[in-house]
Amino acid sequence: MKKWKIIADSGCDYKTLENLAKDTEFVSVPLTVQVGQETFLDDEKLNIDQMMEIMYASSSAASSACPSPQAYDTAYEGTENVIVITLTGTLSGSHNSARLAREHFLEGHPHVNIHIIDSLSAGGEMDLLVYETNRLIAMGLDFKQVVAGLEAYQQRTKLLFVLAKVDNLVKNGRLSKFLGTVVGLLNIRMVGEASAEGTLELLQKARGHKKSLSAAFDEIKKAGYMGGRITLAHRNSDKFCQQFSEMVLAEFPQAQLEIIPTSGLCSFYAEENGLLMGYEIG
């Protein structure tokens, strides 16, 4: 039996975690994406390219659904200490499912420690929180120390997104139809952030690739980025990630950057050429 479990729903882009701390297991609890009559489970077997092709070819509305409390209940089994990181509770029921499962699970397993963190975010910022959880566990800290360290760390992380398409965010009520129309015209990229309340907030409307690069870099510096870790979770946006990384390293050579593909859920919301970037401030 492993001593620790790090659990994240698929608002996090990791399906596996490299360099796991000793006695630690990482579990991804998948959300689902519904396109017409087809349901896609966002696990390691999902063919994301195929899902996106079907979604764009379909005239039916597409939507996402959170994991059930039972899925979390099962994930909690077989360990002493559980850290759970969920998609923002303002946009998904995943956090509530994890909380309900915790209440049920502790009735039969009162000695297990379970702490649930509402990321108030998605994508790259969730990835940072998962990475930091593993790092704190690897330091040999106890459960309370890991929780305290994570809560302090979350105050130093933010999410910036750069989106070229926002159809699904508009259809699912995450963004206004007006903004959707603006982004769809004139090669506009929407640059925004996850707010302190976990909602999506527009910061800039940048026209074209080059302006979106400079807008994104300006925004993270404005928010307090000083050369810390950045996770660039992207959907077929390799050129942007490469050029953005070069911009960051030119000014902050000590920066640590990780570039990873978005999960099925994050691909669904970020859409083609979209980016969900997590970064540290201070």
Side-chain angles (χ1 to χ4, degrees):
M1 184 176 80
K2 299 287 188 183
K3 186 176 179 182
W4 290 87
K5 271 193 180 183
I6 304 170
I7 298 172
D9 65 37
S10 59
C12 167
D13 302 289
Y14 297 127
K15 291 295 184 280
T16 59
L17 202 57
E18 293 183 4
N19 303 313
L20 268 171
K22 185 181 177 182
D23 279 337
T24 302
E25 181 181 359
F26 174 68
V27 179
S28 175
V29 179
L31 284 88
T32 56
V33 174
Q34 184 86 26
V35 182
Q37 299 303 308
E38 294 200 56
T39 300
F40 299 91
L41 185 67
D42 190 12
D43 61 11
E44 70 283 350
K45 298 174 186 175
L46 175 63
N47 184 328
I48 297 174
D49 291 340
Q50 182 187 49
M51 180 192 80
M52 297 297 283
E53 282 179 20
I54 291 171
M55 183 185 79
Y56 283 125
S58 174
S59 57
S60 304
S63 61
S64 62
C66 68
S68 66
Q70 179 58 45
Y72 278 108
D73 199 90
T74 301
Y76 294 160
E77 292 177 357
T79 191
E80 299 172 28
N81 301 299
V82 182
I83 302 291
V84 188
I85 298 164
T86 73
L87 192 61
T88 174
T90 61
L91 300 182
S92 170
S94 184
H95 182 76
N96 196 47
S97 286
R99 187 183 58 77
L100 291 171
R102 178 183 182 273
E103 292 174 8
H104 176 263
F105 188 84
L106 290 179
E107 289 176 6
H109 308 80
H111 302 299
V112 175
N113 298 309
I114 302 175
H115 183 73
I116 304 169
I117 293 177
D118 182 343
S119 72
L120 300 172
S121 193
E125 188 173 5
M126 280 187 72
D127 304 338
L128 286 179
L129 293 170
V130 167
Y131 183 93
E132 180 68 4
T133 303
N134 186 56
R135 192 188 74 82
L136 292 170
I137 293 169
M139 289 172 62
L141 304 180
D142 64 26
F143 184 78
K144 287 184 178 179
Q145 290 170 324
V146 169
V147 168
L150 263 180
E151 289 180 340
Y153 181 72
Q154 190 177 12
Q155 301 304 310
R156 299 196 298 107
T157 61
K158 289 182 72 70
L159 178 82
L160 186 92
F161 56 82
V162 182
L163 307 179
K165 293 173 70 70
V166 293
D167 299 2
N168 287 327
L169 287 169
V170 172
K171 285 177 185 173
N172 288 275
R174 273 55 168 174
L175 287 173
S176 72
K177 288 182 180 178
F178 172 75
L179 282 178
T181 303
V182 168
V183 172
L185 297 171
L186 305 174
N187 194 23
I188 296 291
R189 303 286 195 277
M190 196 173 79
V191 181
E193 67 177 1
S195 71
E197 295 76 36
T199 57
L200 302 181
E201 301 291 339
L202 178 64
L203 296 170
Q204 292 192 41
K205 295 188 287 289
R207 188 170 183 180
H209 173 80
K210 284 187 177 179
K211 286 187 178 177
S212 67
L213 271 170
S214 57
F217 194 38
D218 289 346
E219 288 297 344
I220 70 168
K221 288 193 292 182
K222 195 187 301 180
Y225 178 75
M226 297 175 66
R229 187 174 181 84
I230 297 177
T231 300
L232 295 148
H234 71 102
R235 170 66 191 168
N236 290 333
S237 198
D238 302 87
K239 180 182 175 184
F240 184 102
C241 291
Q242 186 59 43
Q243 292 178 344
F244 186 83
S245 298
E246 290 168 2
M247 289 175 72
V248 171
L249 290 170
E251 189 163 334
F252 302 102
Q254 78 279 21
Q256 294 177 288
L257 294 106
E258 180 183 23
I259 300 173
I260 57 175
T262 42
S263 65
L265 182 86
C266 290
S267 297
F268 173 72
Y269 282 116
E271 297 196 55
E272 289 302 320
N273 306 125
L275 176 82
L276 297 170
M277 180 200 317
Y279 64 100
E280 297 174 348
I281 57 174

